[in-house]
Amino acid sequence: MMATELLLNITICFAITISSFAFSWVLARSEPEHNGKSKPALWALVIFWALVGLTYLPTTIRMIAAYMHNYELDLVMYNLASVPFAFISVPLVYFIIYIIVGDKKISTYVSLIFTIFGAAYLALLYSSGVNSTITEWASLFSINSDIAINIYLMGLFIVPTAMILGLLLIILLQRVPKRLRYRTTLPLVAISFVFDFMLTDMITNVDVMQVSARLFVLIGTVQAFLAYFPPLTLQEKLGIREYQYDLYMEDGETGSKHQIGDDTDV
Amino acid sequence: MSENIDVELEQEIATFYQSLGINQGPGDIQYRLMLKVLEKNDPGITEFADIREYTDQFADRGSIGSKMKTVFQLEGLVKKVKRGGYVITDKGLMAASFLKNTTVFYKKTKKMGEIIERMP
């Protein structure tokens, strides 16, 4: 009898799918609010979150298949989910390189290298074949090769993580307004959260570990959402509320209209 | 020491410091260029013609001479060695070193600002 634990796994995967697709959609919709310089990074981010969703959509179906003892579908969905997963570092690398260097060409070349690495991973994966194990918590696949492929995969993920940490350090060492610091560091933390727990999810062969990794991916997605669209209560609590000041607002103390905050007669 | 003086960059930096409310010293393009030329010519003598080569687009005739007297000479940044000829002092070199730091600060701030700007 299949246990309810697997149902929990399905729910988490589904929640990740929905929330990352929704986040990607909302980010894409906010495009007019961004200036020309941040647009390439924004689109990279949109693609990144869409790829997270695309990875977890087949994974959800895969878990349902495992629950219903449909092993063929499980395997097909595993192979399908591996495709967006293999290329997830591509938009991320583009995002980070573009933010640091500011050159679209360089970012494209570097992300192209990661595309090749991702494709090589897929080729390796498909040529090696996989072994499946279904437990009451999860459906696990282990790749029929030595650990080389896992090490390779780690390389594919650790380099972008190191880049994120570097960027995070650059921003944290600067004196910037609190609101800006929140807006810049929290998405980065969320991205590295999601990114690394996806890796853990993919390479682990402990069922509970898979579920908890997915839980953290979900937390990361919510965190990223909060980073971009913080609710008012959170803004007030963190002291990052953006105050609107109207230049032509009546000034209470002088009782007259002034341009550009003329306080000389206060 | 014969590094080239990038007049456009100096103008950019001066404008940046002016925007921070610093209109003299690092925020004054004439001051920047004069100090740069004096430093470049160290330990030789700097004549007005050397400075005018760079400052002509920013300065009216006479303002360089007046600045040399009221700012540089009075504060002991330069020593007059002949008519129209000045040599930078130790204090002047210190000021030049500070000016370099303001350039570094400007570049760092600009770079960081651009990174933040590119962040969606």
Side-chain angles (χ1 to χ4, degrees):
Chain A
M1 176 63 206
M2 274 299 157
T4 41
E5 286 92 339
L6 206 48
L7 280 178
L8 176 70
N9 199 335
I10 296 168
T11 317
I12 294 173
C13 287
F14 187 63
I16 296 169
T17 309
I18 296 292
S19 47
S20 52
F21 273 136
F23 183 44
S24 173
W25 168 253
V26 175
L27 268 184
R29 281 280 302 275
S30 73
E31 195 227 352
E33 293 164 27
H34 291 83
N35 59 34
K37 277 186 180 166
S38 68
K39 265 179 193 163
L42 177 78
W43 283 113
L45 214 55
V46 169
I47 296 171
F48 172 79
W49 288 106
L51 283 179
V52 174
L54 282 176
T55 307
Y56 278 94
L57 183 64
T59 307
T60 311
I61 302 171
R62 175 161 102 77
M63 290 298 130
I64 296 171
Y67 186 76
M68 296 167 71
H69 304 277
N70 188 340
Y71 304 116
E72 284 79 37
L73 187 62
D74 191 357
L75 180 65
V76 168
M77 286 300 144
Y78 176 80
N79 286 334
L80 204 63
S82 298
V83 179
F85 175 75
F87 296 110
I88 203 153
S89 50
V90 176
L92 192 59
V93 166
Y94 183 93
F95 172 78
I96 298 163
I97 299 283
Y98 177 76
I99 284 180
I100 295 177
V101 183
D103 192 324
K104 282 187 206 168
K105 244 186 202 160
I106 296 173
S107 330
T108 310
Y109 290 147
V110 178
S111 50
L112 208 65
I113 295 171
F114 274 79
T115 314
I116 296 166
F117 277 132
Y121 161 74
L122 274 184
L124 261 168
L125 175 72
Y126 290 150
S127 62
S128 313
V130 286
N131 249 336
S132 97
T133 332
I134 295 182
T135 68
E136 29 182 56
W137 277 97
S139 151
L140 296 159
F141 278 96
S142 56
I143 300 158
N144 288 342
S145 83
D146 45 11
I147 54 163
I149 194 163
N150 281 351
I151 293 170
Y152 181 84
L153 197 58
M154 276 185 214
L156 200 60
F157 276 67
I158 284 169
V159 174
T161 309
M163 287 177 177
I164 295 179
L165 292 181
L167 182 59
L168 211 59
L169 201 70
I170 292 175
I171 294 173
L172 282 177
L173 287 176
Q174 296 295 319
R175 176 135 184 78
V176 287
K178 206 174 173 188
R179 191 179 55 78
L180 210 60
R181 183 168 291 188
Y182 173 86
R183 254 299 287 273
T184 47
T185 51
L186 202 59
L188 291 176
V189 172
I191 289 169
S192 60
F193 228 73
V194 170
F195 193 62
D196 290 325
F197 278 109
M198 274 178 84
L199 172 69
T200 315
D201 172 0
M202 216 58 171
I203 65 176
T204 184
N205 41 29
V206 182
D207 53 357
V208 184
M209 178 103 100
Q210 190 189 62
V211 179
S212 31
R214 284 176 185 172
L215 196 62
F216 278 109
V217 173
L218 182 62
I219 292 171
T221 317
V222 174
Q223 201 182 358
F225 192 85
L226 287 180
Y228 279 94
F229 310 99
L232 208 60
T233 40
L234 190 68
Q235 286 187 35
E236 272 165 358
K237 217 160 235 157
L238 292 171
I240 50 162
R241 199 175 155 191
E242 200 171 4
Y243 291 101
Q244 294 290 325
Y245 176 64
D246 185 1
L247 282 184
Y248 299 97
M249 199 166 57
E250 188 122 331
D251 195 328
E253 287 198 48
T254 55
S256 61
K257 282 187 178 177
H258 288 296
Q259 283 189 356
I260 316 177
D262 180 3
D263 285 343
T264 44
D265 57 345
V266 172
Chain B
M1 239 187 8
S2 60
E3 51 178 298
N4 281 329
I5 298 170
D6 186 345
V7 179
E8 269 170 35
L9 176 72
E10 294 302 326
Q11 171 69 50
E12 214 178 290
I13 302 171
T15 315
F16 168 72
Y17 280 100
Q18 277 171 25
S19 77
L20 296 183
I22 302 165
N23 293 308
Q24 313 249 307
D28 176 6
I29 178 67
Q30 289 182 22
Y31 173 91
R32 292 191 79 91
L33 289 174
M34 285 166 80
L35 199 53
K36 284 258 168 194
V37 176
L38 281 161
E39 187 198 13
K40 189 178 155 192
N41 290 349
D42 178 57
I45 299 167
T46 304
E47 291 182 356
F48 281 123
D50 303 333
I51 297 173
R52 289 222 178 85
E53 204 182 305
Y54 299 100
T55 58
D56 261 358
Q57 43 178 319
F58 307 107
D60 306 325
R61 236 186 129 71
S63 67
I64 294 297
S66 142
K67 190 153 277 173
M68 187 64 96
K69 206 169 164 185
T70 56
V71 178
F72 285 83
Q73 211 181 337
L74 198 70
E75 300 297 344
L77 304 181
V78 293
K79 204 169 69 184
K80 191 170 183 175
V81 286
K82 64 172 191 180
R83 199 181 128 76
Y86 298 85
V87 172
I88 194 164
T89 61
D90 287 354
K91 199 179 171 192
L93 283 173
M94 196 174 75
S97 151
F98 172 69
L99 204 67
K100 270 210 180 97
N101 283 343
T102 64
T103 308
V104 172
F105 177 79
Y106 166 73
K107 283 183 178 164
K108 219 175 104 188
T109 311
K110 193 180 161 200
K111 211 171 166 184
M112 198 57 217
E114 281 171 351
I115 286 182
I116 300 270
E117 205 181 10
R118 283 193 290 266
M119 193 85 189

